[in-house]
Amino acid sequence: MTTEGVLLERDGYLAIVTVNRPSKLNALDDQTIAELDATFAAIDVDDSVGAVIVTGAGEKAFVAGADISVLAKQGVLDGIENARRGQALTLRMESCSKPVLAAINGFALGGGLELALACDVRFASSNAKVGLPEVSLGIIPGYGGSQRLPRLVGSGNALQLILQGDAIDASEALRIGLVNGVFEPEELMDKVKAVAKRMVMRGPTALSLAKQAVRRGAQMPLVDALALEADLFGIISSTDEMKEGMTAFLEKRKPNWLRK
Ligand code: COA
């Protein structure tokens, strides 16, 4: 599927979603957000997709933020509406039933970093710059950045990034745990695909339920989260997938997951 602002390509079980407005450094306008939302809705229910990689078109940017020419015109009600639209997209990405990996191939600023924060794991090219510069434009993060960044890197690191408004480079992002790894630009996509392919080798239902356990559990008190984990453990124990995984181990062969 190809739409104007978003490209969807396949590499076997991988879906590669590319934000495609390189002339505007892939800034997110309303149409691009709607296209990303529709793309993730389709991926979520597509059993032939095992994992998703999100990246940006061109060599310069992952996504350089929400489109400032749109933000500049907004008032109270459309400001709320705009934030809710971006938040709905990031929630959809975060709750996708497949692993979602960000390949941050350049600037990931504002809404761009917020997209990456909604992914399960993030890898950056060595020339990437990431940050939440909203306060330098007289606004605040609105697509989940003020909530997801502190949950990922701790409130001290997050508050410095959010209040100072400066971007950091890939090595600093790695140091504070904002990205899982850094690769040379020409290697980035192959390295991220290699990680995604390792994930796709695992049980698809197990991947989905493990992600649910982490994602939903993070929003609960520990005792409730442990109860959720036990319930999900019970559900996975009822599946043919579990039988296949265990049988394959005992028979010393690779599991044959029931992927389409
Ligand atoms: N919204 C709208 N347009 C954007 C954009 C954004 N967030 N980021 C970049 N662009 C556009 C520029 O306006 C420019 O368009 P033009 O050629 O029609 O003038 C084009 O993308 C290229 O950007 P440019 O600024 O010329 O590239 P650069 O290499 O000099 O600088 C950045 C790169 C990322 C440092 C700079 O573009 C920037 O600061 N962008 C805004 C980042 C930001 O604040 N994002 C958070 C928004 S909430």
Side-chain angles (χ1 to χ4, degrees), residues 21-25 27-28 60 64-69 71 107 109-111 133-134 136-137 139:
R21 288 185 80 206
S23 67
K24 297 290 176 189
L25 303 186
L28 301 172
K60 212 167 156 184
D67 190 317
I68 295 170
S69 65
L71 299 180
F107 290 110
L109 302 174
E134 283 86 348
S136 59
L137 294 163
I139 57 171

Side-chain angles (χ1 to χ4, degrees), residues 193-210:
K193 281 185 179 179
V195 175
K197 284 177 180 170
R198 295 291 297 168
M199 293 177 176
V200 170
M201 287 167 63
R202 314 309 180 194
T205 309
L207 286 174
S208 169
L209 296 190

Side-chain angles (χ1 to χ4, degrees), residues 131-155:
L132 293 177
E134 283 86 348
V135 291
S136 59
L137 294 163
I139 57 171
I140 69 168
Y143 295 176
S146 67
Q147 305 308 308
R148 291 196 179 95
L149 186 62
R151 283 167 168 79
L152 183 65
V153 300
S155 57

